[in-house]
Structures are given as C-alpha cells and as structure tokens.
C-alpha cells in the first residue's frame, strides 16, 4: 500500500515538474517491503527506434546546479560525483521540503555495489579477480574524500546540515545511487540524477 502511494505521489510530482511519460510505458512496483521498493519500467507495446517515451526538463534533474546546496558545493569547489553526492544527501536530509522528495522516496536507500560490501565480503567474493584490489583501493579513496571534503562541511555557516544524513554510510549510499543511475546531462549541469530515465 505504501509503495502504491509513493508511486502515485511520484507520478503527480512528474506532472508538476513537466516530465512527460509515454502511455507506452508502465511503471511497475515489484512486490516486497516498502524499505526495499523496487521499480521497473515496462513497455506495453513494441517500440521503434525514434519513438519518444519521455521528455524530462533539465530543471527537474537533481544536479549540483539545481540543488538547494548549490552555493555550498560551489564555494567548497566540489564537483563531479563528490558534488552530486552532497546534492543527493542534502536533498534527502531536508525531507518533504526538497523539490525532489517524491522522486527520492521512490529510490532505494542504496544499491548493493561492491563498494558497499565489507572488506571480508570483498575478500570472499572478489578474491582472484582484477576487481579485488581495485575495489579495496577505491573504498579507501572514497573514505578519504568523505573525511577531507564532506565531514568539514558539517560546520558550514552557509547551511545547517544534519550530520545523520552526511555520515560515511550515507556518502557511500549516495555514491552507489549515482554510480548506478546518474546521466551526463550537459556541460553546464554535468552529471545528475534524471527522474524517470533512471528507473
């Protein structure tokens, strides 16, 4: 029931944002708990090359340029995935006050990518592969990024940030969503979260 309400709220939000979704698409919710909401997009008919299935205005995308944390990100000179992570964490932190609240409610809390696995899991599942060393090194670099760039923002005078939404766990969760869902929008916006397209 909660999942159905979230989907209805998301569809109303898309309409308010000027996002057009073709009638040829059906947004489906997989059965499961509300905490692990899983959404898919199904084609209701054959689609041909060139068929328009959606129109998504750039201002409806969550980017470092459109977030309420834009000034903080800009003044901190953080861009790319680091800046977008801050945007995602910030918009999640302000809950219903975020212009992307209904969209964020439809996303899972994180995606289970190797970067979120524990070191024993990495050793167990990736041992003997090229990814084994790379994932461990990247995980250490992500932690350094958080320690050097995000943790200091908690004392910022520009925005009062809720530390619960800017923890190392939340940073890794945001990075997992970005790695699995973000798109390059254009030169000005850079990479961002693109509602509907990322489902």
């Amino acid at each position: 029931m909660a999942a159905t309400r979230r989907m209805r709220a998301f569809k109303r939000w898309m309409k308010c944002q000027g996002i057009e979704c073709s009638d040829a698409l059906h947004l489906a919710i997989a059965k499961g708990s509300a905490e692990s909401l899983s959404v898919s997009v199904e084609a209701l008919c054959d689609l041909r090359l060139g068929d328009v299935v959606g129109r998504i205005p750039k201002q409806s995308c969550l980017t470092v340029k459109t977030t309420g944390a834009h000034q903080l990100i800009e003044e901190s000179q953080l861009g790319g995935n680091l800046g977008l992570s801050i945007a995602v964490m910030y918009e999640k932190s302000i809950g219903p006050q975020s212009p992307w609240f209904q969209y964020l409610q439809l996303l899972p809390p994180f995606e289970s990518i190797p970067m979120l696995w524990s070191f024993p899991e990495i050793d167990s599942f990736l041992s003997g592969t090229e990814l084994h060393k790379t994932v461990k090194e990247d995980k250490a670099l992500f932690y350094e990024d958080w320690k050097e760039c995000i943790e200091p923002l908690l004392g910022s005078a520009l925005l009062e940030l809720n530390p619960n939404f800017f923890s190392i766990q939340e940073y890794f969760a945001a990075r997992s969503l970005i790695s699995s869902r973000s798109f390059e929008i254009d030169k000005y916006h850079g990479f961002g979260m693109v509602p509907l397209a990322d489902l």
Side-chain angles (χ1 to χ4, degrees):
M1 191 61 131
T4 306
R5 272 197 303 272
R6 285 188 196 182
M7 179 58 76
R8 280 198 309 265
F10 175 65
K11 287 179 178 178
R12 283 192 304 272
W13 176 83
M14 282 197 303
K15 199 171 209 172
C16 290
Q17 294 292 317
I19 298 174
E20 298 172 23
C21 180
S22 169
D23 291 337
L25 300 182
H26 172 67
L27 305 183
I29 301 173
K31 301 282 187 251
S33 69
E35 293 79 35
S36 61
L37 187 66
S38 179
V39 179
S40 64
V41 179
E42 300 171 357
L44 299 174
C45 60
D46 289 340
L47 297 171
R48 295 179 307 277
L49 185 64
D51 285 352
V52 176
V53 294
R55 293 185 197 280
I56 305 162
K58 290 178 184 178
Q59 70 268 14
S60 68
C61 300
L62 176 51
T63 71
V64 296
K65 298 294 187 184
T66 59
T67 180
H70 169 69
Q71 186 180 354
L72 175 67
I73 294 167
E74 194 172 84
E75 289 191 10
S76 303
Q77 298 181 337
L78 300 172
N81 288 334
L82 195 54
L84 185 54
S85 297
I86 294 166
V88 170
M89 291 186 292
Y90 175 73
E91 296 301 334
K92 280 182 159 188
S93 78
I94 60 173
Q97 294 162 344
S98 169
W100 291 275
F101 179 70
Q102 288 83 1
Y103 161 66
L104 293 170
Q105 288 291 295
L106 214 57
L107 296 182
F110 60 88
E111 287 294 346
S112 186
I113 60 171
M115 200 64 61
L116 270 66
W117 297 350
S118 67
F119 283 112
E121 287 173 322
I122 293 169
D123 289 339
S124 173
F125 298 133
L126 298 179
S127 185
T129 69
E130 291 181 27
L131 275 178
H132 188 227
K133 184 179 175 188
T134 305
V135 170
K136 281 186 155 184
E137 288 171 355
D138 286 351
K139 195 171 174 94
L141 291 172
F142 277 24
Y143 179 79
E144 284 176 33
D145 285 345
W146 176 81
K147 192 77 177 155
E148 292 172 14
C149 303
I150 294 175
E151 192 178 37
L153 297 179
L154 295 174
S156 170
L158 282 175
L159 286 173
E160 201 172 306
L161 302 177
N162 181 338
N164 295 333
F165 288 89
F166 289 85
S167 67
I168 185 67
Q169 292 84 2
E170 289 298 319
Y171 174 60
F172 272 79
R175 288 296 297 257
S176 76
L177 292 175
I178 290 164
S179 72
S180 64
R181 288 177 153 73
S182 66
F183 289 81
E184 185 170 7
I185 297 167
D186 61 24
K187 196 170 183 177
Y188 174 75
H189 290 91
F191 282 85
M193 306 298 281
V194 183
L196 179 61
D198 66 3
L199 296 178

